[in-house]
Amino acid sequence: MAHSGLKSFAGLMARQGILVAFVLFLIAFSVFSDRFLSAENIFSVVRSSAIIGVMALGVTVVVIGGNLDLSVGSMLSFSTVLVVDLHDKIGPGPAIVVMVAATLCLGAINGLLVGVARLNSLIVTLGMLSAIQGLTLIYSGGKNVDIVHQDATWFKVFGRGYIADIPTPIVIFAVCAIVLHVMMAYTPFGRRIYATGGNATAAVFSGIRRSRVVFLTYLISALTVAIAAIILGSRVMGSQNNVGQGYELQVLAGVILGGTSLLGGSGTIWKSVIGVLILGFIQNGLLLLGFEYYVQWLVTWVVIILAVWLDIAAKRGRLLSPIA
């Protein structure tokens, strides 16, 4: 009986361990800080996590498909600089359209190199990280950009506005999560992504066009970066040319915490949402407890290592490898 209960508990942790960890984090920090679970603080954390969260949704799709995308940080820098710079030149509407099209072109390059040319996704996107950052510096001339009349533009609604008393970034994050969850869980295309990431060879023999699936996953990732750039540019009303530096690591951390396997073929959109929120609440909780900002990076590293360890342990049924 005890063995059966232990086995059931292990099964629960394997399936919903990330959700259990999230609840435990909330309880632990709320014990030490009265402000931690206040509505104002919760909205603040989710709002600040929306940019990373939206990008993490797209990266989750790429990783489930069996690849990586490390270029999203530099892509965010380029997209934010572009939309902010074009805002005063051609207007907010056309600026958004041009920026989204340009960002999709960058995603298409990733998709072609990884999906069609069959190059290693780690190498390709790591190279694109540097290339896009260079492109951003060339475009901006190494200078920061700002919107002149910040209070007179409707562009501010994406980062500073509210919809039914809910901050707009949270609404955008939620809508993107719902759309991609439905796509991954209930559509044939979503099943093709899982199949491609799980076993690319078997997927090809099943009639799935791997190159097309991989190409589209990178387009989805690029689109989420474009949406994140709109939120970021609207919130700051300006942009540094390296504003996205380091975001790729935070995004990947959220995806890993959400339980998406780096080997591909497994993971869910909603768990990536939980993973991103865990990172956001950990960082917020540490600040409320008086820890310095750099402590967040150390704690984040520990949490990522534990998450990967538990993920591997759940797959092999034991904490330590049987091979010494």
Side-chain angles (χ1 to χ4, degrees), residues 57-73:
L57 300 176
V59 172
T60 299
V61 174
V62 172
V63 174
I64 291 175
N67 298 290
L68 294 173
D69 191 352
L70 298 180
S71 66
V72 291

PDB file of all heavy atoms in Angstrom, residues 57-73:
ATOM      1  N   LEU A  57       7.005  31.409 -25.387  1.00  0.00           N
ATOM      2  CA  LEU A  57       5.982  30.612 -26.070  1.00  0.00           C
ATOM      3  C   LEU A  57       6.480  30.160 -27.440  1.00  0.00           C
ATOM      4  O   LEU A  57       6.328  29.000 -27.826  1.00  0.00           O
ATOM      5  CB  LEU A  57       4.691  31.432 -26.214  1.00  0.00           C
ATOM      6  CG  LEU A  57       4.023  31.919 -24.926  1.00  0.00           C
ATOM      7  CD1 LEU A  57       2.816  32.780 -25.259  1.00  0.00           C
ATOM      8  CD2 LEU A  57       3.631  30.755 -24.041  1.00  0.00           C
ATOM      9  N   GLY A  58       7.083  31.096 -28.185  1.00  0.00           N
ATOM     10  CA  GLY A  58       7.599  30.748 -29.503  1.00  0.00           C
ATOM     11  C   GLY A  58       8.773  29.795 -29.426  1.00  0.00           C
ATOM     12  O   GLY A  58       8.876  28.847 -30.217  1.00  0.00           O
ATOM     13  N   VAL A  59       9.664  30.022 -28.458  1.00  0.00           N
ATOM     14  CA  VAL A  59      10.826  29.147 -28.301  1.00  0.00           C
ATOM     15  C   VAL A  59      10.382  27.747 -27.882  1.00  0.00           C
ATOM     16  O   VAL A  59      10.989  26.746 -28.280  1.00  0.00           O
ATOM     17  CB  VAL A  59      11.823  29.736 -27.288  1.00  0.00           C
ATOM     18  CG1 VAL A  59      12.938  28.749 -26.973  1.00  0.00           C
ATOM     19  CG2 VAL A  59      12.425  31.035 -27.829  1.00  0.00           C
ATOM     20  N   THR A  60       9.312  27.663 -27.100  1.00  0.00           N
ATOM     21  CA  THR A  60       8.767  26.354 -26.707  1.00  0.00           C
ATOM     22  C   THR A  60       8.377  25.544 -27.940  1.00  0.00           C
ATOM     23  O   THR A  60       8.665  24.341 -28.030  1.00  0.00           O
ATOM     24  CB  THR A  60       7.544  26.524 -25.791  1.00  0.00           C
ATOM     25  OG1 THR A  60       7.925  27.209 -24.598  1.00  0.00           O
ATOM     26  CG2 THR A  60       6.946  25.170 -25.415  1.00  0.00           C
ATOM     27  N   VAL A  61       7.745  26.194 -28.898  1.00  0.00           N
ATOM     28  CA  VAL A  61       7.345  25.513 -30.133  1.00  0.00           C
ATOM     29  C   VAL A  61       8.576  25.005 -30.874  1.00  0.00           C
ATOM     30  O   VAL A  61       8.597  23.867 -31.371  1.00  0.00           O
ATOM     31  CB  VAL A  61       6.528  26.471 -31.029  1.00  0.00           C
ATOM     32  CG1 VAL A  61       6.230  25.818 -32.383  1.00  0.00           C
ATOM     33  CG2 VAL A  61       5.233  26.873 -30.343  1.00  0.00           C
ATOM     34  N   VAL A  62       9.624  25.833 -30.939  1.00  0.00           N
ATOM     35  CA  VAL A  62      10.858  25.429 -31.615  1.00  0.00           C
ATOM     36  C   VAL A  62      11.497  24.240 -30.911  1.00  0.00           C
ATOM     37  O   VAL A  62      11.920  23.277 -31.557  1.00  0.00           O
ATOM     38  CB  VAL A  62      11.852  26.606 -31.672  1.00  0.00           C
ATOM     39  CG1 VAL A  62      13.213  26.141 -32.194  1.00  0.00           C
ATOM     40  CG2 VAL A  62      11.314  27.720 -32.555  1.00  0.00           C
ATOM     41  N   VAL A  63      11.571  24.301 -29.587  1.00  0.00           N
ATOM     42  CA  VAL A  63      12.232  23.231 -28.819  1.00  0.00           C
ATOM     43  C   VAL A  63      11.438  21.933 -28.908  1.00  0.00           C
ATOM     44  O   VAL A  63      12.021  20.846 -29.036  1.00  0.00           O
ATOM     45  CB  VAL A  63      12.419  23.662 -27.353  1.00  0.00           C
ATOM     46  CG1 VAL A  63      12.966  22.509 -26.518  1.00  0.00           C
ATOM     47  CG2 VAL A  63      13.374  24.851 -27.260  1.00  0.00           C
ATOM     48  N   ILE A  64      10.124  22.006 -28.830  1.00  0.00           N
ATOM     49  CA  ILE A  64       9.310  20.797 -28.993  1.00  0.00           C
ATOM     50  C   ILE A  64       9.565  20.178 -30.356  1.00  0.00           C
ATOM     51  O   ILE A  64       9.567  18.951 -30.517  1.00  0.00           O
ATOM     52  CB  ILE A  64       7.812  21.120 -28.814  1.00  0.00           C
ATOM     53  CG1 ILE A  64       7.518  21.479 -27.357  1.00  0.00           C
ATOM     54  CG2 ILE A  64       6.942  19.933 -29.242  1.00  0.00           C
ATOM     55  CD1 ILE A  64       6.087  21.926 -27.107  1.00  0.00           C
ATOM     56  N   GLY A  65       9.824  21.022 -31.353  1.00  0.00           N
ATOM     57  CA  GLY A  65      10.135  20.536 -32.692  1.00  0.00           C
ATOM     58  C   GLY A  65      11.530  19.970 -32.840  1.00  0.00           C
ATOM     59  O   GLY A  65      11.923  19.553 -33.932  1.00  0.00           O
ATOM     60  N   GLY A  66      12.297  19.967 -31.735  1.00  0.00           N
ATOM     61  CA  GLY A  66      13.607  19.325 -31.747  1.00  0.00           C
ATOM     62  C   GLY A  66      14.780  20.239 -32.025  1.00  0.00           C
ATOM     63  O   GLY A  66      15.875  19.761 -32.326  1.00  0.00           O
ATOM     64  N   ASN A  67      14.576  21.567 -31.900  1.00  0.00           N
ATOM     65  CA  ASN A  67      15.654  22.512 -32.189  1.00  0.00           C
ATOM     66  C   ASN A  67      15.764  23.564 -31.097  1.00  0.00           C
ATOM     67  O   ASN A  67      14.998  23.553 -30.137  1.00  0.00           O
ATOM     68  CB  ASN A  67      15.403  23.191 -33.545  1.00  0.00           C
ATOM     69  CG  ASN A  67      15.393  22.203 -34.690  1.00  0.00           C
ATOM     70  OD1 ASN A  67      16.425  21.647 -35.057  1.00  0.00           O
ATOM     71  ND2 ASN A  67      14.225  21.965 -35.263  1.00  0.00           N
ATOM     72  N   LEU A  68      16.723  24.471 -31.248  1.00  0.00           N
ATOM     73  CA  LEU A  68      16.930  25.572 -30.309  1.00  0.00           C
ATOM     74  C   LEU A  68      16.876  26.894 -31.059  1.00  0.00           C
ATOM     75  O   LEU A  68      17.097  26.939 -32.272  1.00  0.00           O
ATOM     76  CB  LEU A  68      18.286  25.443 -29.602  1.00  0.00           C
ATOM     77  CG  LEU A  68      18.480  24.250 -28.669  1.00  0.00           C
ATOM     78  CD1 LEU A  68      19.929  24.199 -28.199  1.00  0.00           C
ATOM     79  CD2 LEU A  68      17.534  24.328 -27.483  1.00  0.00           C
ATOM     80  N   ASP A  69      16.592  27.968 -30.322  1.00  0.00           N
ATOM     81  CA  ASP A  69      16.638  29.304 -30.909  1.00  0.00           C
ATOM     82  C   ASP A  69      17.287  30.242 -29.902  1.00  0.00           C
ATOM     83  O   ASP A  69      16.644  30.727 -28.978  1.00  0.00           O
ATOM     84  CB  ASP A  69      15.238  29.802 -31.270  1.00  0.00           C
ATOM     85  CG  ASP A  69      15.284  31.072 -32.112  1.00  0.00           C
ATOM     86  OD1 ASP A  69      16.395  31.627 -32.274  1.00  0.00           O
ATOM     87  OD2 ASP A  69      14.231  31.512 -32.608  1.00  0.00           O
ATOM     88  N   LEU A  70      18.587  30.479 -30.082  1.00  0.00           N
ATOM     89  CA  LEU A  70      19.338  31.364 -29.200  1.00  0.00           C
ATOM     90  C   LEU A  70      19.430  32.780 -29.757  1.00  0.00           C
ATOM     91  O   LEU A  70      20.093  33.628 -29.173  1.00  0.00           O
ATOM     92  CB  LEU A  70      20.744  30.816 -28.976  1.00  0.00           C
ATOM     93  CG  LEU A  70      20.852  29.440 -28.304  1.00  0.00           C
ATOM     94  CD1 LEU A  70      22.308  29.035 -28.162  1.00  0.00           C
ATOM     95  CD2 LEU A  70      20.153  29.439 -26.950  1.00  0.00           C
ATOM     96  N   SER A  71      18.776  33.034 -30.878  1.00  0.00           N
ATOM     97  CA  SER A  71      18.879  34.346 -31.516  1.00  0.00           C
ATOM     98  C   SER A  71      17.805  35.320 -31.056  1.00  0.00           C
ATOM     99  O   SER A  71      17.799  36.476 -31.479  1.00  0.00           O
ATOM    100  CB  SER A  71      18.801  34.191 -33.038  1.00  0.00           C
ATOM    101  OG  SER A  71      17.511  33.731 -33.436  1.00  0.00           O
ATOM    102  N   VAL A  72      16.896  34.868 -30.178  1.00  0.00           N
ATOM    103  CA  VAL A  72      15.732  35.707 -29.847  1.00  0.00           C
ATOM    104  C   VAL A  72      16.123  36.975 -29.100  1.00  0.00           C
ATOM    105  O   VAL A  72      15.441  38.003 -29.231  1.00  0.00           O
ATOM    106  CB  VAL A  72      14.697  34.906 -29.021  1.00  0.00           C
ATOM    107  CG1 VAL A  72      14.044  33.832 -29.872  1.00  0.00           C
ATOM    108  CG2 VAL A  72      15.335  34.299 -27.775  1.00  0.00           C
ATOM    109  N   GLY A  73      17.200  36.966 -28.326  1.00  0.00           N
ATOM    110  CA  GLY A  73      17.610  38.161 -27.606  1.00  0.00           C
ATOM    111  C   GLY A  73      18.047  39.267 -28.550  1.00  0.00           C
ATOM    112  O   GLY A  73      17.581  40.409 -28.468  1.00  0.00           O
TER     113      GLY A  73
END
